[in-house]
Amino acid sequence: MTALGGVAASFMVLAFTRFGVAFGEAGGTPAGHAIIARKIRPERRGLAIGLFALGIPLGTMVGFAVGGAMSDTLGWRTVLIGAGALGGIIGLLAFVIVGPTPPRKTATTSGEPFLHASVRLLSSLGFRWLFIGAMISGFAAAPFYAFAAPFLMRTHGYSASEAGLAFGLLQGLMGIFGTLIGGRWFDRAARSGTGRVLGPPGILFLIASVTTTVALFVPVPWLSIILLVPAMLSFAFMLPWGFGAAHLVAGKGKEAMATSLVMIGSGLFGPAFGPLIVGMISDAATETGIPNGLALGMLAVPAASALTGVAILVANRRIAASFRNIDIG
């Protein structure tokens, strides 16, 4: 579907191929987390999820940096076709190397219908607030990744390759740091026995909301990029914490279900409507002659980050209150 985007002759066809990309990617993370849960001890699972999540920042770093440079020289169609071909090769390698994993036969894998299992899991206040936080975070992450590079280009005059290199490199570095440190930190928090397994990412989202707001209006290009760093870090840092906390609440044998619900929350509305809202605000501001209209639209990112931080901190408190009933083994 990525490669087909490179030969799209209309916006609707291009949009359809992007839907196809999302559909193809959706099953990978829950399946990966289920394999991790079967093979990695609970006390080290946060780090394992963090290592698994490294694919996001590494891919972002390479995609922005290399993709921006190639787009300037070869055109965006060539970039999409090349990325699709590379993805196909990696998919075949994964199929051959990993191979099929037989289902684990335990009492917890009861074949409970998805809807019933989802309702039962969402009946937990801690998981419900985590789901809400994941849903709001989509309104922060999707526009951030979609418009950060165009913002640097339109507002500060960077070229596509310069914006891609600066944003991609920092995003990759923060992603590596955030997922690895976040995974280790989560493991330590889970072993503490207090049940407070979401406090640090909640606080980081609140900090990111402030720095991102300033970044959108500061006139100094390099300072604007630096002020975007906490947002880059918050999205990566949250991954092992969010999924790890979801696994704790769900219990053994339900890790893939928990991952699926968290991903449904983060992808339910945010990626679909977040960039659309930012684009509509930006276009409306530009049409009325307001300078830096894209920055006004991107205010949705820090607003959603602040709400995400609040929801995550509420989830942290709720999970801690019921932690005595959670089996972390």
Side-chain angles (χ1 to χ4, degrees):
M1 297 304 290
T2 300
L4 286 176
V7 298
S10 68
F11 173 79
M12 290 303 299
V13 174
L14 180 62
F16 175 78
T17 63
R18 303 312 296 164
F19 291 143
V21 170
F23 184 82
E25 290 178 349
T29 300
H33 284 187
I35 294 173
I36 290 172
R38 295 173 185 178
K39 296 181 177 294
I40 306 298
R41 299 192 307 273
E43 61 270 18
R44 296 184 62 83
R45 199 168 292 160
L47 178 59
I49 294 174
L51 287 169
F52 179 78
L54 275 179
I56 297 175
L58 288 175
T60 300
M61 180 170 60
V62 174
F64 271 99
V66 178
M70 291 182 64
S71 180
D72 280 345
T73 58
L74 301 176
W76 62 271
R77 292 184 182 275
T78 302
V79 173
L80 286 178
I81 294 172
L86 180 61
I89 294 172
I90 294 174
L92 289 175
L93 286 175
F95 179 79
V96 172
I97 295 173
V98 178
T101 301
R104 180 175 58 182
K105 302 296 184 181
T106 67
T108 57
T109 55
S110 59
E112 183 179 10
F114 176 81
L115 182 59
H116 292 173
S118 301
V119 171
R120 183 167 56 81
L121 193 52
L122 288 170
S123 65
S124 164
L125 282 176
F127 192 92
R128 191 184 309 162
W129 276 102
L130 176 58
F131 180 85
I132 293 172
M135 186 166 59
I136 302 173
S137 72
F139 283 93
F144 181 79
Y145 288 120
F147 288 105
F151 166 77
L152 295 175
M153 295 163 61
R154 298 182 194 177
T155 304
H156 297 294
Y158 286 99
S159 67
S161 57
E162 290 171 339
L165 180 61
F167 183 79
L169 181 60
L170 283 174
Q171 172 63 26
L173 293 175
M174 290 303 101
I176 294 170
F177 178 79
T179 52
L180 292 181
I181 299 301
R184 290 293 299 273
W185 198 342
F186 172 81
D187 286 338
R188 189 158 55 247
R191 290 195 298 266
S192 69
T194 64
R196 298 188 178 276
V197 290
L198 286 172
I203 294 172
L204 182 56
F205 267 107
L206 295 179
I207 295 173
S209 69
V210 176
T211 60
T212 304
T213 302
V214 179
L216 295 176
F217 299 99
V218 68
V220 183
W222 64 266
L223 183 58
S224 177
I225 294 176
I226 290 177
L227 289 170
L228 292 175
V229 167
M232 301 176 190
L233 180 61
S234 66
F235 298 131
F237 188 72
M238 179 62 191
L239 290 173
W241 290 85
F243 288 126
H247 292 179
L248 288 182
V249 176
K252 287 188 277 190
K254 300 295 183 182
E255 295 89 355
M257 167 66 72
T259 294
S260 297
L261 286 177
V262 171
M263 292 185 67
I264 288 172
S266 63
L268 189 60
F269 297 115
F273 295 104
L276 179 62
I277 292 172
V278 172
M280 292 174 62
I281 295 174
S282 174
D283 288 346
T286 302
E287 288 177 1
T288 57
I290 298 176
N292 204 9
L294 183 55
L296 291 177
M298 286 188 67
L299 282 175
V301 174
S305 293
L307 292 175
T308 300
V310 172
I312 293 302
L313 290 176
V314 174
N316 180 57
R317 189 173 74 249
R318 295 294 187 181
I319 292 175
S322 60
F323 192 71
R324 61 181 178 274
N325 297 320
I326 299 175
D327 179 14
I328 66 172

